[in-house]
Amino acid sequence: MKPTFALFPVLAVALLLSNAPAHASSKADNRIEDSARKSYVFQTYLAKDDIKIQSRDGVVTLTGSVLEESHKSLARDTVAEQPGVKKVDNRLEVKSDAPPRTRIFGSRRK
C-alpha cells in the first residue's frame, strides 16, 4: 500500500502542471479576441458586419459575413496585427444587401 500513496503527490503535481499552459493560453486568446473586437477598425469600418473571432493558441479563426470584399481582407489584416497572433484562418463570406446585377444580351430597342 505504501507505493500507491507515494505516487499520489506525483500525479497531483503532474495534473496541476498540465493545466497551467492551457489556462495561460486561454488568457492570451481572450486578449487577442477582445483587442481585435475593440480595435478602431472593427468598431468603425466593420461595425455593420457579422464577424465572429475565435482564437486558440494564437491561431485566430474568422467566421461570419461581411458586406464587401475589402472588409474581408481588412478584418484579416487587423487581427493579424494583434500581439500573439500566429496565424489567421479567414472563413468570412461576402454577402451584399444589394441584389445581383443582371445583364441582358441580345435585346434591342425598337
Side-chain angles (χ1 to χ4, degrees):
M1 285 291 241
K2 210 171 197 179
T4 306
F5 288 115
L7 190 57
F8 180 73
V10 174
L11 291 174
V13 169
L15 182 62
L16 289 174
L17 291 177
S18 68
N19 286 336
H23 181 51
S25 75
S26 67
K27 279 186 178 180
D29 290 328
N30 288 339
R31 184 182 41 77
I32 289 169
E33 294 170 7
D34 289 342
S35 62
R37 283 187 196 100
K38 293 176 182 175
S39 70
Y40 179 78
V41 171
F42 270 80
Q43 294 291 315
T44 306
Y45 300 107
L46 305 174
K48 294 182 180 179
D49 295 315
D50 178 30
I51 301 174
K52 293 161 194 68
I53 305 167
Q54 185 176 17
S55 180
R56 183 173 174 117
D57 297 326
V59 178
V60 181
T61 303
L62 300 175
T63 57
S65 61
V66 293
L67 298 175
E68 299 177 29
E69 183 68 35
S70 62
H71 289 196
K72 185 175 177 177
S73 58
L74 185 60
R76 180 200 63 224
D77 294 345
T78 301
V79 170
E81 293 173 359
Q82 301 301 317
V85 173
K86 298 174 186 172
K87 180 183 172 186
V88 178
D89 182 11
N90 193 347
R91 298 181 185 178
L92 293 171
E93 296 180 11
V94 180
K95 295 195 178 181
S96 176
D97 287 339
R101 297 165 105 190
T102 57
R103 285 187 163 176
I104 301 173
F105 295 101
S107 64
R108 294 184 183 174
R109 290 186 183 204
K110 292 185 179 184

